[in-house]
Amino acid sequence: MRILIRTFFRGLRLVLAPVMLISEKLSTPQAIERSPEEQARVDAACRNLALYQFRTCPFCIRVRKEIARLGLNIEVRDAQLDPDHRHELAEGGGRTKVPCLKIAHDDGTNEWLYESDDINAWLHRRFGTAAAQAA
C-alpha cells in the first residue's frame, strides 16, 4: 500500500511541477525601480545572501516572487538536486527544510532564516522601498 501511495504522489508531482513553474513565470511581478546607485547598494548587500530552495516547492516559489518583485540579485541554491548545497543546509541550518535564507553577517557568523513568510518579511524590511510598500 505504501508503494502505491508513494507512486501516486510522485506521479502527481511530475504532472504538477511543469504547471507550477509555468505559473511562476507568468505571474512573477515586475521589479521595483531604483536609481543605479541605490541598486548597486542593494546588489552589494545581496552578496551576503543565499536562498536554499527546491525548484517546485510552492513556498520557495513565493520567496522567489518576492525576490523578483524587490529586484534582488540573491544566489539561489538548489538543495534538492545538489548534494553539496543540501549538506551545507543541513550542517549550517541544522535541518534540510526549504525555503531557507542564509544571511552571512560581517562578523563571520551565519543566520539561517526559515519559513517563507519570515523570509519575505525580512527581505521587505531590509530592501523594501516606499514604492514597494505602496504596491
Side-chain angles (χ1 to χ4, degrees), residues 4-132:
L4 183 64
I5 293 171
R6 191 175 295 157
T7 303
F8 170 76
F9 281 108
R10 283 185 181 163
L12 186 62
R13 269 187 275 160
L14 286 173
V15 171
L16 291 179
V19 173
M20 293 172 68
L21 294 174
I22 290 170
S23 173
E24 177 187 9
K25 292 291 182 197
L26 295 175
S27 64
T28 297
Q30 290 274 341
I32 59 174
E33 292 188 26
R34 296 185 180 94
S35 68
E37 298 82 19
E38 180 68 20
Q39 188 63 48
R41 282 194 295 275
V42 168
D43 290 344
C46 287
R47 287 189 198 111
N48 295 328
L49 305 175
L51 177 69
Y52 290 82
Q53 53 101 39
F54 292 174
R55 194 158 180 222
T56 57
C57 166
F59 301 103
C60 297
I61 291 171
R62 179 189 291 178
V63 172
R64 290 195 306 262
K65 282 184 173 185
E66 184 68 11
I67 288 171
R69 190 177 75 72
L70 292 172
L72 306 176
N73 294 317
I74 296 176
E75 179 184 359
V76 176
R77 298 177 178 174
D78 194 324
Q80 185 174 24
L81 301 176
D82 188 324
D84 293 334
H85 291 306
R86 183 183 204 91
H87 179 72
E88 185 178 348
L89 176 60
E91 290 292 313
R95 53 190 168 157
T96 307
K97 181 181 174 191
V98 293
C100 180
L101 184 67
K102 178 184 176 186
I103 306 165
H105 296 287
D106 293 335
D107 63 3
T109 61
N110 293 319
E111 180 181 350
W112 300 83
L113 185 60
Y114 291 92
E115 301 297 330
S116 60
D117 289 338
D118 295 340
I119 294 169
N120 285 346
W122 187 89
L123 291 172
H124 191 69
R125 281 192 311 272
R126 177 71 174 87
F127 300 107
T129 64

